[in-house]
């Protein structure tokens, strides 16, 4: 049974490694964040598998902490994506024109 759990943990870590490629190359920020969530989920799964295979119960606490951090990262991404960014100046506007900025 231990060999099966270790093989499953290695398989999950391989999937997490593939997700790391998406984090690095992802075309959009949302793709990168979803891949980061995959890292969190896969990390939790592999930690739990390794903890059960080796009989170390403290690994469960570490997995719980990783799951909590992944959830906070997701909430921070959604909160940050809903904020309006600073408006970029257009070419027609003079950045030193204080009168136009005061009217806006």
């Amino acid at each position: 049974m231990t060999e099966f759990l270790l093989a499953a943990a290695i398989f999950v870590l391989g999937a997490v490694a593939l997700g790391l490629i998406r984090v690095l190359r992802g075309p959009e920020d949302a793709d990168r964040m979803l891949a980061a969530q995959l890292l969190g989920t896969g990390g939790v799964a592999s930690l739990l598998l390794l903890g059960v295979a080796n009989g170390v119960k403290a690994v469960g606490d570490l997995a719980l902490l990783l799951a909590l951090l992944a959830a906070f990262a997701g909430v921070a991404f959604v909160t940050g994506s809903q904020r309006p960014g600073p408006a970029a100046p257009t070419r027609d506007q003079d950045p030193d024109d204080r009168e136009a900025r005061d009217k806006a």
Side-chain angles (χ1 to χ4, degrees):
M1 184 70 173
T2 302
E3 293 84 17
F4 175 74
L5 292 175
L6 290 175
I10 290 171
F11 178 75
V12 170
L13 284 175
V16 168
L18 290 176
L20 186 61
I21 294 171
R22 178 58 66 186
V23 169
L24 296 175
R25 299 182 66 190
E28 299 292 330
D29 289 340
D31 296 329
R32 290 181 175 155
M33 188 61 216
L34 286 176
Q37 291 295 314
L38 173 70
L39 292 177
T41 305
V44 168
S46 63
L47 280 174
L48 289 175
L49 288 169
L50 291 173
V52 170
N54 293 325
V56 180
K57 293 182 180 180
V59 175
D61 295 336
L62 185 62
L64 184 61
L65 180 66
L66 184 60
L68 188 64
L69 289 175
F72 282 142
V75 170
F77 176 76
V78 170
T79 303
S81 67
Q82 291 178 348
R83 282 190 191 156
T90 60
R91 289 185 174 187
D92 297 336
Q93 291 179 337
D94 183 15
D96 294 329
D97 189 11
R98 291 184 180 194
E99 192 172 309
R101 276 189 282 161
D102 291 340
K103 289 181 181 178

